[in-house]
Amino acid sequence: MGGYMNRDKKVRNSELFEEVSFNEDDRHQVHIVLKERKVRRNVFGKGKRALVPVIIGIMILCAGIYLPSNPVLALSKLPFFESIFQFFGDSGLKDATKENKQNVQHQKSEDGMSMEIQEAVYDGKRLSISYVIKSEKPIKNYTSRMVNFYIPFDGFQKGGFMSNDQFKQVSDHEVIGYSTFTYTGSEMPDDIMVDFLYRGTTDYTSDKQKEFKFLFEVPVKKTTKIDTVVFNKKKSFEEEELKLKQISLSPISTVISLQYKAPYQNNPDDVAMSIRLLDQDNRVIKEVPDGIGWFGTQIKENNRWYTLEETNELFEPLDKEIKEIKIQLFNNQNQEDILANTKVKLIALPEAKNQLLNLGERGTMKITDIKQEEDSAVIRYEYKSSFAFYQNFSPLVLKSADGNWHHGIEMERKYLGNETYMVEEIFLDLPKEKLEVRYLQQKAPELIEELEIQVSSDEIKKGIKVQ
């Protein structure tokens, strides 16, 4: 699985690639620790951090080997740390155990371009499949529109949508990613066949590059059980109403099904609604991008027309610490209002350390640690906000001298209480010099407090489950 990840990575410092000696006994000790970690996991499979510190610590203590200080390059050398889900998936994918994940290795190559399908996680509603794309020529302008997958079974496409493909270009010659299909109509069968398609070039914007087409037929089995609990909880305010219809729970995800009703307005500038999920301590349960959104129609009640919208929002799995969840509804600004109310700020990366960066009504960010290597950086920051990770956005973006924006991969997120988080992100493929931190000063999003729905863990456990 993933035997060739990062093999084409360009490294300027040869010392970073000292030979790693890792024998079978060392590997066995690692698996023992991972097994113990799995036993400690709760029923929903929620974890608090990636396994990077655990594995690196074991390597140092048990194997007595040299490890490069750059964790990205170190991980590329370790044969057992090959999971794309674990590297930059959401928390449900990171914590997928052996029982919840299956290896589905398929590989095709043509004229210096290759693609490998690696692993799958499937619970009956959500299916995620990871992949690696490699090219002898540099890959330029890669886009998620190059990949797609389809489940050839009657009725599946209705109500099922693939997410925005999640990917990272880890070198000039390699892209890693995963695609997610979320089906919300009902549960899918235990065994399905997936057609996974890559259609693209080494440069999406060039007409002169050869087009490649790789089609894979991937058999996938349900890897974990999902429980769906039916609800009929409503909150009303004036003429608006929010109704919770059901919650689906598995070790890899939480699906919240909602219905929203409001007086009909024939307004082409109507803005979309957003949902946020919090626990009893106001800790954010992050949204998982699924590309579904809201779907609506118009109905007539008591000689009055209303807009009726429904959505099935995908979130990280719930953990045993959660005693209550709060479902909040936001009225998003339109694009013009967002631009008008946003100030873009830049500060040199070295100067940003220990500076309290003002995010406007969205809170503050303070970078507490920066570890830079030749072409990567690990940045730790404290993030305090009443709207943390709103719409799944990180407050931290880097800008290089060539004008490119660089987004990090979240490696660790710890809730400190009082709406404050300690976050660690890793940035790949960076120039070492002249990096700036970009942060935004924005207005607070419009929260409709009166429509907040609260659900206790007891209600979820004792609720009516769909068979």
Side-chain angles (χ1 to χ4, degrees):
M1 184 179 78
Y4 52 69
M5 283 183 64
N6 288 332
R7 193 176 295 160
D8 286 342
K9 186 78 174 174
K10 292 181 179 178
V11 183
R12 298 179 182 87
N13 188 347
S14 60
E15 292 180 1
L16 295 175
F17 271 78
E18 293 287 337
E19 185 63 24
V20 175
S21 173
F22 192 66
N23 58 37
E24 197 63 32
D25 183 60
D26 299 327
R27 192 187 302 266
H28 177 66
Q29 293 184 55
V30 170
H31 285 302
I32 290 174
V33 173
L34 296 182
K35 185 177 180 180
E36 292 173 351
R37 176 183 170 87
K38 184 183 78 173
V39 171
R40 290 196 299 268
R41 285 190 185 124
N42 54 75
V43 66
F44 295 117
K46 170 78 173 178
K48 293 184 183 298
R49 62 181 67 192
L51 295 178
V52 179
V54 176
I55 293 172
I56 292 177
I58 293 169
M59 290 292 293
I60 294 172
L61 294 174
C62 298
I65 62 171
Y66 168 83
L67 279 182
S69 56
N70 183 339
V72 184
L73 299 178
L75 296 179
S76 72
K77 294 292 291 180
L78 302 184
F80 61 88
F81 201 114
E82 299 167 338
S83 171
I84 291 171
F85 289 157
Q86 196 178 77
F87 182 51
F88 81 109
D90 56 77
S91 69
L93 296 182
K94 285 180 185 293
D95 290 335
T97 65
K98 254 185 181 176
E99 290 78 14
N100 295 331
K101 184 185 71 175
Q102 57 188 297
N103 298 331
V104 289
Q105 291 175 302
H106 292 70
Q107 182 174 349
K108 292 187 177 182
S109 301
E110 181 182 343
D111 294 338
M113 173 77 77
S114 67
M115 183 175 192
E116 182 183 23
I117 307 298
Q118 291 198 344
E119 55 199 338
V121 171
Y122 169 53
D123 66 5
K125 283 185 176 292
R126 175 189 181 179
L127 167 64
S128 293
I129 297 178
S130 68
Y131 62 85
V132 177
I133 298 170
K134 291 189 63 186
S135 173
E136 292 178 359
K137 295 181 179 179
I139 300 172
K140 300 178 180 179
N141 303 301
Y142 179 82
T143 169
S144 60
R145 285 175 288 180
M146 294 179 178
V147 298
N148 203 344
F149 65 88
Y150 170 76
I151 302 174
F153 190 92
D154 291 344
F156 275 9
Q157 292 302 97
K158 184 178 180 181
F161 297 85
M162 191 189 81
S163 75
N164 295 325
D165 187 69
Q166 305 297 305
F167 68 90
K168 293 291 179 183
Q169 185 154 353
V170 295
S171 76
D172 290 342
H173 299 266
E174 185 172 359
V175 172
I176 64 174
Y178 64 89
S179 298
T180 295
F181 181 97
T182 306
Y183 182 67
T184 56
S186 62
E187 279 196 55
M188 295 187 284
D190 290 350
D191 299 272
I192 57 177
M193 182 67 71
V194 180
D195 291 339
F196 195 100
L197 173 66
Y198 168 78
R199 182 188 285 116
T201 70
T202 53
D203 188 349
Y204 183 75
T205 61
S206 174
D207 296 330
K208 298 179 181 179
Q209 298 294 326
K210 178 181 176 179
E211 292 189 0
F212 293 88
K213 179 180 178 180
F214 298 137
L215 178 62
F216 300 86
E217 290 185 350
V218 184
V220 178
K221 294 179 180 292
K222 188 182 292 186
T223 52
T224 182
K225 185 177 182 293
I226 189 168
D227 289 324
T228 298
V229 185
V230 176
F231 288 90
N232 188 26
K233 298 195 77 167
K234 299 178 183 179
K235 272 296 188 73
S236 299
F237 174 64
E238 295 180 347
E239 294 187 274
E240 298 179 67
E241 179 184 88
L242 184 65
K243 181 169 80 170
L244 172 63
K245 298 177 66 177
Q246 65 180 35
I247 299 176
S248 297
L249 303 161
S250 87
I252 64 171
S253 61
T254 303
V255 182
I256 308 291
S257 300
L258 297 163
Q259 185 181 82
Y260 171 66
K261 186 177 76 173
Y264 174 72
Q265 296 179 348
N266 187 16
N267 182 2
D269 295 326
D270 275 352
V271 294
M273 314 300 288
S274 287
I275 294 296
R276 189 170 70 148
L277 205 59
L278 303 174
D279 72 1
Q280 68 279 357
D281 298 318
N282 290 325
R283 172 174 60 114
V284 172
I285 303 162
K286 283 184 73 173
E287 182 182 357
V288 176
D290 62 6
I292 291 180
W294 293 81
F295 295 88
T297 186
Q298 283 76 47
I299 61 172
K300 193 174 184 179
E301 291 182 355
N302 301 321
N303 294 320
R304 183 85 186 268
W305 283 97
Y306 292 87
T307 295
L308 190 68
E309 296 186 275
E310 294 193 357
T311 188
N312 295 275
E313 297 288 340
L314 193 65
F315 294 89
E316 294 178 333
L318 305 184
D319 61 46
K320 66 180 181 181
E321 297 175 0
I322 293 178
K323 304 295 188 295
E324 178 184 76
I325 59 172
K326 294 183 279 190
I327 303 168
Q328 296 182 331
L329 183 69
F330 288 83
N331 189 4
N332 292 329
Q333 297 174 297
N334 61 42
Q335 193 65 28
E336 290 183 1
D337 288 340
I338 291 174
L339 293 174
N341 294 312
T342 298
K343 294 181 180 179
V344 179
K345 298 290 185 178
L346 293 168
I347 182 173
L349 180 58
E351 297 175 15
K353 186 175 180 180
N354 294 323
Q355 294 278 352
L356 191 65
L357 305 180
N358 179 15
L359 306 179
E361 295 179 3
R362 303 283 181 105
T364 60
M365 173 176 62
K366 182 179 181 181
I367 295 176
T368 59
D369 192 38
I370 303 170
K371 291 185 174 66
Q372 270 190 276
E373 295 292 341
E374 288 294 328
D375 55 2
S376 66
V378 177
I379 300 177
R380 179 178 286 265
Y381 61 92
E382 185 180 284
Y383 180 28
K384 182 176 176 58
S385 174
S386 300
F387 310 99
F389 312 107
Y390 181 65
Q391 295 184 319
N392 215 39
F393 288 122
S394 164
L396 178 62
V397 178
L398 299 183
K399 183 182 181 182
S400 52
D402 55 11
N404 289 328
W405 302 105
H406 302 269
H407 298 266
I409 299 170
E410 182 182 276
M411 303 301 292
E412 182 179 355
R413 172 177 17 110
K414 183 178 181 181
Y415 187 55
L416 306 179
N418 194 28
E419 299 181 331
T420 304
Y421 303 79
M422 186 62 73
V423 184
E424 186 173 273
E425 294 186 18
I426 188 165
F427 292 79
L428 305 176
D429 217 16
L430 289 177
K432 189 172 177 63
E433 305 295 335
K434 297 183 179 179
L435 286 169
E436 293 180 297
V437 173
R438 188 215 72 180
Y439 61 101
L440 304 178
Q441 294 180 346
Q442 295 178 291
K443 288 185 64 176
E446 182 185 344
L447 169 64
I448 308 176
E449 297 182 44
E450 295 83 0
L451 296 183
E452 179 179 289
I453 294 177
Q454 299 179 1
V455 184
S456 70
S457 58
D458 285 341
E459 287 180 276
I460 296 174
K461 292 174 184 176
K462 299 176 182 178
I464 300 173
K465 293 182 172 59
V466 177
Q467 300 298 322

